[in-house]
Amino acid sequence: MSSMNALYIVATPIGNLDDITQRALATLQKADIIAAEDTRHSAKLTQHFGITTPLIAYHDHSNESQTLRLLDRLSKGESIALISDAGTPLISDPGYRLVKLAREKGIAVVPIPGACALVAALSAAGLPSDRFSFEGFLPAKNVGRNTRLEALATDTRTLVFYESPHRIVESLQAMAQVFGCDRQVVLAREITKAYETFLSATFSELQGMMAADANQLRGEMVVMVQGYVAPEQNDEALEPEVQHTMQVLMAELPVKQAAALASKLTGIKKNKLYKWALGKKAE
């Protein structure tokens, strides 16, 4: 084949097939094989563009022998195009192990850039994009999800999450509890598709929108949360004794629990104590 021996990381459309690049089409056509997350899904793409390169299944749960077979083919001079179901491979998609081992063996790894839901959503969200943190998918279980969110509660960067329709309601509820109902959030769904939607609101408002319109629960989603902004100190000041109580409790408990218990002990509103605690953590 005419292309250089390498592992090509090829971005594919996330919805609109017109977003495929000419370079991606040429790479997929010239490669010896295409390693795909789901060959049945990717076959629709290759058939649409008349690409005849053989497809084989590869994902991060593939057994070690499959990874070694691909590395062996690369070592013998073949070229492999790695694709995911949609978007850029390795961005919450498979491929890390193969790329890492290929580089360790001195095999060229070449990115073929293109569509990426993370970048597309953030570019149109209207939230600060000079500094952001991509967090991928949150843990499915409540404890793991809350632990991850609490670690991000005072992060000043824009936070970006991927989420699926069957977990979006629970995830938004958890975010509202940890980040506060008044934090700004943008929900992007069905990006590049016919029903592409961007909803910009507070968590409280967004939850109402989702409850009122079942259509907003459909499609793959990107959730973007405005970073933490420290509250004004003048009306958030606490008496020294209350501050001491909070500091003692925060040393032993998560912020949310510390604020709830301190509220019972002092009679001060839980939200005020929670905001004060977040401000201290951010210092």
Side-chain angles (χ1 to χ4, degrees):
M1 62 179 288
S2 59
S3 61
M4 181 186 71
N5 161 233
L7 172 61
Y8 292 90
I9 311 302
V10 184
T12 56
I14 56 177
N16 191 323
L17 291 178
D18 288 342
D19 290 336
I20 194 80
T21 68
Q22 290 298 316
R23 190 179 176 205
L25 289 174
T27 301
L28 294 175
Q29 189 68 266
K30 292 178 180 179
D32 290 299
I33 57 171
I34 298 172
E37 184 178 359
D38 183 334
T39 55
R40 292 170 299 179
H41 180 89
S42 296
K44 298 175 185 176
L45 177 75
T46 56
Q47 288 167 10
H48 178 83
F49 289 108
I51 295 167
T52 57
T53 307
L55 284 163
I56 65 166
Y58 183 81
H59 48 79
D60 278 346
H61 301 295
S62 296
N63 58 40
E64 194 66 21
S65 61
Q66 174 72 312
T67 303
L68 295 177
R69 278 196 293 271
L70 292 180
L71 289 171
D72 183 59
R73 296 184 70 157
L74 287 165
S75 298
K76 290 178 179 177
E78 292 190 18
S79 291
I80 297 175
L82 176 70
I83 63 175
S84 62
D85 285 348
T88 302
L90 278 78
I91 308 301
S92 269
D93 280 327
Y96 167 75
R97 284 197 303 146
L98 182 60
V99 169
K100 181 175 184 292
L101 290 172
R103 284 210 170 276
E104 287 176 356
K105 289 183 173 293
I107 296 166
V109 180
V110 180
I112 309 296
C116 175
L118 158 68
V119 175
L122 190 59
S123 71
L127 291 174
S129 56
D130 54 335
R131 296 180 67 241
F132 65 91
S133 176
F134 177 56
E135 297 297 325
F137 288 92
L138 287 168
K141 295 185 178 179
N142 289 337
V143 174
R145 182 192 295 125
N146 289 339
T147 299
R148 175 85 66 82
L149 291 174
E150 286 173 2
L152 297 168
T154 57
D155 197 316
T156 58
R157 299 170 294 178
T158 297
L159 304 173
V160 186
F161 304 88
Y162 282 171
E163 197 49 275
S164 56
H166 66 278
R167 292 200 336 212
I168 187 63
V169 172
E170 289 182 358
S171 289
L172 289 178
Q173 288 173 345
M175 289 181 191
Q177 290 175 355
V178 175
F179 296 148
C181 291
D182 295 331
R183 183 88 71 98
Q184 285 294 126
V185 56
V186 178
L187 173 71
R189 66 180 193 86
E190 297 285 73
I191 298 175
T192 78
K193 299 178 183 178
Y195 296 102
E196 175 180 281
T197 304
F198 280 77
L199 299 176
S200 181
T202 64
F203 273 110
S204 179
E205 293 166 341
L206 180 60
Q207 287 176 295
M209 294 176 187
M210 304 292 277
D213 184 0
N215 287 325
Q216 303 304 334
L217 300 175
R218 298 176 180 175
E220 296 304 309
M221 304 175 184
V222 183
V223 181
M224 294 159 285
V225 183
Q226 185 174 25
Y228 173 76
V229 178
E232 295 292 334
Q233 292 301 309
N234 53 5
D235 62 351
E236 298 297 330
L238 300 176
E239 293 295 326
E241 311 85 65
V242 179
Q243 291 187 36
H244 177 70
T245 299
M246 279 297 296
Q247 288 166 344
V248 171
L249 293 173
M250 287 167 62
E252 302 295 333
L253 298 169
V255 172
K256 187 176 174 184
Q257 292 180 25
L261 184 53
S263 177
K264 293 179 180 178
L265 294 171
T266 64
I268 296 173
K269 288 184 178 180
K270 181 173 63 175
N271 285 348
K272 182 174 181 178
L273 295 169
Y274 184 71
K275 288 181 179 180
W276 181 88
L278 291 182
K280 282 297 176 185
K281 287 186 68 177
E283 290 178 357

